Amino acid sequence: AAYESFSQLHENRTPMVYVGTNGGGLHAFNAQTGKEEWVMIPPNLVSKLPRQKDANGYVHQYFVPHNH
């Protein structure tokens, strides 16, 4: 009953695709149009963003993982 109620409540919402990137963002795309609706950087990663670059150039860190 709980799932049926949840399903009915959300049956008309916009289908979305969520993608985590190595740059730290969680991106939300409208699954029908492909338009990026928003991007969010988790608060616990904001302080780590400056560490992506050091005196020798780019230093890669994995932030928001994505699945292949």
Side-chain angles (χ1 to χ4, degrees), residues 18-46:
Y18 301 95
V19 180
T21 65
N22 289 335
L26 175 63
H27 300 258
F29 295 92
N30 181 311
Q32 295 171 326
T33 67
K35 179 185 173 206
E36 184 175 37
E37 298 292 335
W38 53 263
V39 61
M40 187 269 299
I41 298 175
N44 64 316
L45 297 181
V46 173

